[in-house]
Amino acid sequence: MKKKLLGLTVCIALAFLWMAAKGNDGVITKENGMYVINTTTLATNVEGYIGPTPLKIYIQKNKIVKIEALKNQETPKYFAKIRKQLLDQWNGMTVKEAQKAQVDGVTGATISSDAVKENVKRGLDYYQKHK
């Protein structure tokens, strides 16, 4: 009985270790050879003018391929400016370059811009620690 219990305990422990090593936390995944960082749960306390501004950050070979805004409650007119003027500014940068970059926000959407920049910062920091 003790051997069965010990074997079961070891199996459960190995399963947990395997899941942790795989990064199965929903924040970092792999898609088409790219790491994808989803800041939805990573930056829950980062808010724009109206609420959270979650992003998906696509990274391949340690370079940012693109950043996508996920569903949010920001004013569509102002957030469209952020999509057009802000999100592409990190494209092509290495992760380290992007972490140091001083990216300008969008005039008229300063609070939302700051929230997006903080989401990018947290996403890249998470990537560096968990890739």
Side-chain angles (χ1 to χ4, degrees), residues 39 43 45-55 74 79 82 86 90 109-122:
T39 67
N45 63 337
V46 176
E47 295 200 359
Y49 187 71
I50 297 175
T53 56
L55 306 170
E74 299 300 280
F79 210 77
I82 288 173
L86 182 61
W90 290 278
T110 306
I111 295 170
S112 299
S113 294
D114 289 345
V116 166
K117 291 190 287 186
E118 181 62 23
N119 268 275
V120 170
K121 179 191 177 309
R122 289 192 188 188

Side-chain angles (χ1 to χ4, degrees), residues 57-76:
I57 305 168
Y58 294 81
I59 301 169
Q60 186 172 40
K61 296 181 181 175
N62 214 37
K63 283 191 174 185
I64 298 172
V65 175
K66 68 178 177 176
I67 299 175
E68 284 181 356
L70 298 174
K71 185 175 180 175
N72 62 65
Q73 300 300 313
E74 299 300 280
T75 307

Side-chain angles (χ1 to χ4, degrees), residues 7-93:
L8 180 61
T9 304
V10 169
C11 286
I12 291 170
L14 288 173
F16 278 113
L17 288 172
W18 179 76
M19 285 179 11
K22 200 167 165 40
N24 200 7
D25 59 4
V27 174
I28 188 168
T29 58
K30 270 198 140 177
E31 198 175 292
N32 298 324
M34 288 185 268
Y35 285 98
V36 181
I37 312 302
N38 184 325
T39 67
T40 300
T41 59
L42 186 60
T44 56
N45 63 337
V46 176
E47 295 200 359
Y49 187 71
I50 297 175
T53 56
L55 306 170
K56 274 190 175 181
I57 305 168
Y58 294 81
I59 301 169
Q60 186 172 40
K61 296 181 181 175
N62 214 37
K63 283 191 174 185
I64 298 172
V65 175
K66 68 178 177 176
I67 299 175
E68 284 181 356
L70 298 174
K71 185 175 180 175
N72 62 65
Q73 300 300 313
E74 299 300 280
T75 307
K77 174 183 171 183
Y78 292 105
F79 210 77
K81 290 181 181 184
I82 288 173
R83 280 189 170 95
K84 184 176 180 180
Q85 298 174 27
L86 182 61
L87 295 181
D88 291 345
Q89 290 190 40
W90 290 278
N91 292 359
M93 289 185 188

Side-chain angles (χ1 to χ4, degrees), residues 57 59 64 95 98-99 120-128:
I57 305 168
I59 301 169
I64 298 172
V95 172
Q99 286 176 305
V120 170
K121 179 191 177 309
R122 289 192 188 188
L124 296 177
D125 289 347
Y126 188 90
Y127 169 78
Q128 288 287 66

